[in-house]
Amino acid sequence: MAPCFAPTSDTAVSLYLIEQDQLQSWLTDQPAFVQDWVAANGFTAGGGQALLVPGQDGAASFALAGYGLAAQRLRKRFTLAAAAEKLPKGSYQLQTEAPHVAQLDPECLASECLGWLLSQYRFTRYKSATAMTASLIAPVAVDAAAIESLAAAEWLTRDLINTPAADMGPAQLEEAVEALADEFEASVGVISGADLLEANLPLIHTVGRAAEQSPRLIDMHWGSSGPKLTLVGKGVCFDTGGLNLKPGASMGLMKKDMGGAANVLGLARMIMAARLPVQLRVLIPAVENSVSGNAFRPGDVLNSRKGLTVEINNTDAEGRLVLADALTLADEGAPDMVISMATLTGAARVAVGPDLAPFYTDHDADATALTASAGPQADPVWRMPFHAPYESMIEPAIADLDNAPAGGFAGSITAALFLRRFVGDSRYMHFDIYGWNPSAAPARPKGGALQGARALFAALPAMLELKS
């Protein structure tokens, strides 16, 4: 099943989106029967409320969705989706020109329609779930195909993250990339196992060598003209912490440690579906950080593709290691821009929580473009600093770099600074995302989450100066 709008239908139920402070004005124009029905059912047009209104014959006449107050909408996204989930089965057509209904600008209308489609998502690989039966006819003012494409990308990301590691190891992640490539006529190359050493990708091999499934570097290419854009996603399909073993409570969600890979694949899907004029490359180091006799150890000093040595002070700081080799490879291709996404540090969650996607860049214009696109896309981001005075924190005594500086301060920043050492002169942006909704919200069920990708997709034309 793919997310989609309902076909146009003569039997669709009219849906009126009402702001709370406009309800009385709207009711004034309604017959007494409707006024009494609204009052009897306690409908106040609060955000996310829904009410089906019958006609005099008892059949459905129209429906109401509460849009709340403007101040309340600042605290919650996808208000229409909250109402959609409460509507009974049927097709609904939003009436945007009626008196006293909410007047949404085109961006806001598109965002609310996207929320409706995102609400349709169900993860049913292992257990059936009740499907959402209320469907929306796309308003004429929105680009229905573009919104469906955004929803499909997010569904892909959610499915990948939600799938347990037993069914989403490095080999299965490779298969997911190949399936996406087949859909859009992209090409995929893979380097795995001992071949990683021959290809000078030693950190990827070292982190993944203890696992049953071989570590690998997945390399997808699409597009033959335009700026070169390389996306790098952390694909740690499960993270035990290695010899610095995580406690059980911390290991429970580690199927999501490939959330960076899932997010760049969602973004790649958006780019390819829209046929943006770019030369797209997606690099995913796919590994499991496991415990075995040949697992890498605290105290080891490892070589990297770039030639920098790394002292291992914690084997649970493995994501930055596999990204380091992939970023070096990305930089060698002389791209116009490199973007990495990773579920990298707990420090980022402490700093901004699970909802915001923190990002790093040295380019103010890119940060401005991304921040401007985040609001309309209902995809919040927050800029973090590449704070140069902290560089000394990642420089140990016996190697070029330290993968886990002592002290615990500025953990997300020091991880980002570590990664930047491997990018060279390429224009670089890094996301330290959570990739998970810890609790359900309208259009965002508990589970795997896409973060920052919609904002990036909307900002890319400005960042890369793409011609429309």
Side-chain angles (χ1 to χ4, degrees):
M1 175 184 172
C4 61
F5 289 104
T8 303
S9 171
D10 293 335
T11 61
V13 177
S14 292
L15 177 63
Y16 298 90
L17 186 60
I18 311 293
E19 293 182 280
Q20 196 164 346
D21 55 6
Q22 291 296 309
L23 178 61
Q24 291 306 314
S25 297
W26 182 84
L27 284 171
T28 300
D29 296 337
Q30 306 306 313
F33 170 78
V34 172
Q35 296 180 27
D36 292 343
W37 183 263
V38 169
N41 284 275
F43 182 83
T44 63
Q49 282 189 317
L51 179 65
L52 192 65
V53 179
Q56 295 289 355
D57 60 356
S61 177
F62 59 88
L64 302 177
Y67 206 48
L69 299 172
Q72 296 169 336
R73 293 194 296 277
L74 293 175
R75 299 179 61 176
K76 292 184 178 180
R77 284 175 271 168
F78 302 125
T79 303
L80 179 58
E85 294 172 358
K86 300 167 187 171
L87 290 169
K89 182 178 181 179
S91 296
Y92 294 84
Q93 188 154 32
L94 199 60
Q95 302 298 318
T96 58
E97 302 298 328
H100 306 299
V101 300
Q103 298 299 310
L104 308 184
D105 62 48
E107 287 181 338
C108 186
L109 179 61
S111 178
E112 294 291 359
C113 290
L114 173 64
W116 190 305
L117 295 191
L118 294 179
S119 293
Q120 296 176 342
Y121 176 82
R122 302 290 186 274
F123 185 61
T124 58
R125 179 164 180 168
Y126 306 100
K127 181 180 179 180
S128 61
T130 302
M132 181 174 159
T133 56
S135 56
L136 180 69
I137 295 172
V140 294
V142 304
D143 186 336
I147 293 172
E148 289 174 341
S149 178
L150 292 178
E154 182 143 357
W155 283 30
L156 170 65
T157 295
R158 290 178 181 180
D159 277 347
L160 292 173
I161 298 174
N162 286 334
T163 303
D167 294 320
M168 189 52 65
Q172 290 79 25
L173 185 54
E174 177 187 331
E175 291 170 2
V177 177
E178 290 173 343
L180 182 64
D182 287 345
E183 183 177 356
F184 292 99
E185 299 182 339
S187 62
V188 179
V190 179
I191 305 170
S192 63
D195 289 343
L196 290 166
L197 296 175
E198 293 295 323
N200 191 24
L201 296 165
L203 292 177
I204 298 173
H205 179 269
T206 298
V207 172
R209 71 191 182 198
E212 182 177 346
Q213 285 197 25
S214 299
R216 63 205 67 204
L217 188 282
I218 306 166
D219 189 353
M220 183 176 78
H221 290 260
W222 176 87
S224 58
S225 62
K228 292 182 178 180
L229 172 64
T230 300
L231 309 179
V232 182
K234 174 186 170 184
V236 178
C237 295
F238 194 81
D239 181 19
T240 66
L243 292 177
N244 289 116
L245 195 69
K246 292 178 182 287
S250 299
M251 206 186 300
L253 275 182
M254 283 303 98
K255 69 177 184 179
K256 79 171 186 67
D257 213 22
M258 39 65 69
N263 269 260
V264 299
L265 289 175
L267 176 56
R269 193 191 193 287
M270 296 177 202
I271 291 168
M272 294 187 293
R275 303 200 65 79
L276 289 189
V278 298
Q279 297 179 68
L280 177 66
R281 187 182 193 185
V282 179
L283 290 169
I284 295 174
V287 303
E288 287 186 60
N289 187 21
S290 297
V291 178
S292 183
N294 65 338
F296 71 116
R297 297 162 292 265
D300 284 353
V301 175
L302 306 179
N303 291 311
S304 68
R305 180 181 183 86
K306 194 175 181 69
L308 295 173
T309 56
V310 182
E311 182 179 2
I312 303 303
N313 281 310
N314 193 320
T315 62
D316 196 19
E318 84 299 328
R320 67 201 69 184
L321 300 177
V322 298
L323 288 171
D325 274 353
L327 287 170
T328 301
L329 181 61
D331 186 57
E332 291 167 3
D336 294 283
M337 189 168 192
V338 177
I339 300 172
S340 62
M341 304 189 84
T343 53
L344 202 62
T345 70
R349 309 289 72 75
V350 173
V352 300
D355 198 31
L356 284 165
F359 71 96
Y360 295 81
T361 180
D362 285 320
H363 295 265
D364 291 343
D366 288 345
T368 298
L370 180 64
T371 302
S373 71
Q377 293 299 319
D379 190 15
V381 300
W382 195 263
R383 188 180 186 182
M384 299 280 280
F386 275 127
H387 189 54
Y390 290 166
E391 290 278 3
S392 61
M393 295 170 65
I394 60 172
E395 296 169 346
I398 65 169
D400 295 316
L401 295 170
D402 184 339
N403 83 318
F409 288 127
S412 180
I413 297 173
T414 55
L417 291 171
F418 181 98
L419 295 179
R420 190 174 65 168
R421 292 287 188 100
F422 294 89
V423 179
D425 295 328
S426 293
R427 186 169 152 205
Y428 180 48
M429 181 178 284
H430 165 62
F431 281 78
D432 189 346
I433 61 174
Y434 191 47
W436 188 264
N437 292 319
S439 57
R444 296 181 296 137
K446 182 178 179 178
L450 181 140
Q451 291 185 287
R454 286 200 310 274
L456 270 170
F457 175 69
L460 281 176
M463 287 197 278
L464 297 177
E465 299 181 349
L466 303 180
K467 296 180 180 179
S468 58

